[in-house]
Amino acid sequence: EVHLVESGGGLVQPGGSLRLSCTASGFTFSTCAMSWVRQAPGKGPEWVSSISGKGDTTYYTDSVKGRFTISRDNSRNTLYLQMNSLRTEDTAVYYCTKRDGWHQFDSWGQGTLVPVSS
Amino acid sequence: EIVLTQSPGTLSLSPGERATLSCRASQSISSSDLAWYQQKRGQAPRLLIYGASSRATGIPDRFSGGGSGTDFTLTISRLEPEDFAVYYCQQYVSSPLTFGGGTKVEIK
């Protein structure tokens, strides 16, 4: 069974930084593309970033380009999201997701809350 | 960017009734790269349908997806109490990947 567990969320001030982690189990992590999807309070989900299985290809939504960096450590079955220059509009629950190829998000973690506020 | 518009915003139905949810894309999703997710309060979204019409593992057959091009539907043939939730469509044919605004299926 696929299991994704996020950690690293918490209150951060505008302009601050945070690194999210996602520990994966139950599948061959190194062969799967992974993504981060966020959901602001009361809103629908929003795709943030994706990374290939090898980690050599990455994609970002425009609003986080230059501020967020997705990466992975396949030896630790762990996905990361480094978030810098955080803004209040980045406030959301951040979900780690597994993708089927470059297709749908077929498994989701429970999410980690990142409130950005002074 | 492909914009997905879901309708209606809220659907009020009774258990046992049929639910039909709509998702319209701003441009053609020619390869049917469209998914549907269910989200219950306080939980992560769960994949229901991918490829516009294929059910994900473990999804009951009362859930079905259809459509092509710009118009897609999710049908729940007979609502069970656990089906009352918010449903989102999502396209993965082009970046940025986008979600619709959601349809809430509530108990009438």
Side-chain angles (χ1 to χ4, degrees), chain A residues 35 37 39 43-47 50 59-61 95 99-100 102-106 108-110, chain B residues 33 35 37 39 42-47 49-51 88 90 92 95-101:
Chain A
S35 297
V37 175
Q39 189 168 27
K43 303 292 186 182
E46 178 191 24
W47 169 74
S50 295
Y59 299 95
Y60 299 92
T61 193
Y95 294 102
R99 294 187 69 180
D100 179 2
W102 285 106
H103 307 301
Q104 64 277 0
F105 305 111
D106 63 6
W108 298 61
Q110 85 288 351
Chain B
D33 283 345
Y37 302 85
Q39 187 174 33
Q43 297 183 17
R46 176 176 71 144
L47 177 67
I49 300 288
Y50 64 94
Y88 296 98
Q90 178 249 328
Y92 45 93
S95 185
L97 311 180
T98 51
F99 290 82

Side-chain angles (χ1 to χ4, degrees), chain B:
Chain B
E1 173 177 327
I2 296 178
V3 176
L4 298 177
T5 302
Q6 291 188 242
S7 61
T10 302
L11 202 50
S12 297
L13 295 168
S14 301
E17 289 194 293
R18 181 185 188 89
T20 303
L21 288 64
S22 173
C23 176
R24 177 163 288 178
S26 60
Q27 54 189 277
S28 180
I29 304 176
S30 57
S31 52
S32 293
D33 283 345
L34 186 115
W36 290 91
Y37 302 85
Q38 176 193 67
Q39 187 174 33
K40 297 179 181 179
R41 184 179 298 274
Q43 297 183 17
R46 176 176 71 144
L47 177 67
L48 297 177
I49 300 288
Y50 64 94
S53 61
S54 297
R55 271 188 301 276
T57 302
I59 302 303
D61 61 7
R62 65 180 181 272
F63 291 91
S64 62
S68 63
T70 60
D71 291 296
F72 299 86
T73 58
L74 173 70
T75 301
I76 311 171
S77 59
R78 292 175 310 279
L79 283 164
E80 297 287 341
E82 62 267 28
D83 299 336
F84 291 92
V86 181
Y87 293 83
Y88 296 98
C89 58
Q90 178 249 328
Q91 66 80 20
Y92 45 93
V93 69
S94 67
S95 185
L97 311 180
T98 51
F99 290 82
T103 291
K104 181 180 181 180
V105 179
E106 66 176 22
I107 299 176
K108 185 175 182 180

Side-chain angles (χ1 to χ4, degrees), chain A residues 5-6 10 12 15 28 34 46 58-61 72 91 93 113 115:
Chain A
V5 179
E6 303 94 337
V12 61
T28 306
M34 300 291 292
E46 178 191 24
T58 59
Y59 299 95
Y60 299 92
T61 193
R72 63 194 296 159
T91 293
V93 174
L113 178 62

Side-chain angles (χ1 to χ4, degrees), chain A residues 20 25 33 43 63 70-71 85 88 109:
Chain A
L20 306 182
S25 60
K43 303 292 186 182
S63 64
I70 192 171
S71 62
S85 304
T88 55

Side-chain angles (χ1 to χ4, degrees), chain A residues 62-74:
Chain A
D62 283 350
S63 64
V64 309
K65 280 180 184 175
R67 299 189 300 124
F68 290 11
T69 302
I70 192 171
S71 62
R72 63 194 296 159
D73 184 340
N74 286 344

